[in-house]
């Protein structure tokens, strides 16, 4: 997974652990001028070579961070997802995303739909509970927007919020 973040240390550990459980094995995380304790959270993952941390001090540069990640790492991975730290990939038919991705090797990418989760009526986030435990109510329909998991055997021809693998 490639993601850019700013001041999201309190969510980083849960987000990484969740994605490790579903089969993601590496993260390219672009730090965009964070002032929180992100390094304390990420240090164990960096030491285990699960996370590559890239300082990315540029303003309004999410797409250029994604493009940088692709250009530097497209030969080091089979699949690369571009998502945000408030987004969780939720496989429906499997607990492990790797065999599922292998079934789609002949395709340049897989579009995954957004599910819009609300506040569950909460006014304040409970820091003692996981995000995925607190926010369980979502809009019943899939969004028309998608995020891409791109097959690195095919070039990415356009970078945008919803990248186009071709």
């Amino acid at each position: 997974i490639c993601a850019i973040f700013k001041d999201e240390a309190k969510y980083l550990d849960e987000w990484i652990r969740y994605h490790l459980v579903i089969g993601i094995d590496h993260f390219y995380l672009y730090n965009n001028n964070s002032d929180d304790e992100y390094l304390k959270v990420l240090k164990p993952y960096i030491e285990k070579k699960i996370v590559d941390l890239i300082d990315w001090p540029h303003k309004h540069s999410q797409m250029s961070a994604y493009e940088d990640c692709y250009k530097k790492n497209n030969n080091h991975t089979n699949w690369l997802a571009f998502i945000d730290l408030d987004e969780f990939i939720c496989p429906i038919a499997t607990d492990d995303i790797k065999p599922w991705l292998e079934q789609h090797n002949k395709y340049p990418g897989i579009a995954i739909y957004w599910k819009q989760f609300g506040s569950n009526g909460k006014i304040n986030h409970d820091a003692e509970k996981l995000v995925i435990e607190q926010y369980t109510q979502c809009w019943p329909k899939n969004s028309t927007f998608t995020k891409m998991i791109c097959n690195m055997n095919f070039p990415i021809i356009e970078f945008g919020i919803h990248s186009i693998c071709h």
Side-chain angles (χ1 to χ4, degrees), residues 11-154:
Y11 306 112
L12 275 169
D13 188 59
E14 175 186 0
W15 185 82
I16 291 171
R17 285 176 186 256
Y18 172 87
H19 286 97
L20 287 171
V21 166
I22 66 159
I24 302 299
D25 52 20
H26 199 81
F27 303 84
Y28 302 100
L29 300 181
Y30 283 69
N31 169 37
N32 191 227
N33 300 307
S34 293
D35 289 327
D36 59 8
E37 295 190 13
Y38 70 93
L39 195 52
K40 181 179 176 183
V41 175
L42 293 178
K43 187 177 180 193
Y45 298 109
I46 294 168
E47 290 172 352
K48 292 178 185 173
K49 301 196 184 306
I50 293 169
V51 166
D52 283 3
L53 178 63
I54 302 94
D55 283 320
W56 198 256
H58 316 289
K59 292 183 179 184
H60 311 293
S61 61
Q62 182 177 18
M63 294 312 116
S64 60
Y66 287 175
E67 190 168 1
D68 179 76
C69 183
Y70 168 72
K71 286 179 179 177
K72 290 180 179 173
N73 301 293
N74 67 343
N75 292 322
H76 303 292
T77 186
N78 295 326
W79 292 91
L80 188 58
F82 300 93
I83 65 172
D84 300 333
L85 265 69
D86 64 348
E87 298 171 333
F88 291 78
I89 297 172
C90 300
I92 295 171
T94 182
D95 292 336
D96 186 349
I97 198 168
K98 287 178 191 172
W100 182 78
L101 287 171
E102 288 173 12
Q103 294 174 18
H104 298 87
N105 273 334
K106 64 182 177 181
Y107 301 105
I110 299 169
I112 52 177
Y113 286 104
W114 284 353
K115 274 288 213 181
Q116 303 292 326
F117 284 75
S119 67
N120 274 45
K122 294 181 176 294
I123 294 175
N124 296 311
H125 175 75
D126 184 346
E128 300 298 316
K129 294 182 180 176
L130 297 174
V131 168
I132 60 174
E133 292 175 331
Q134 294 183 70
Y135 305 101
T136 58
Q137 296 176 355
C138 64
W139 182 248
K141 297 180 181 180
N142 288 329
S143 169
T144 57
F145 296 108
T146 61
K147 289 288 182 132
M148 292 301 298
I149 304 176
C150 297
N151 184 339
M152 292 296 101
N153 290 316
F154 297 83

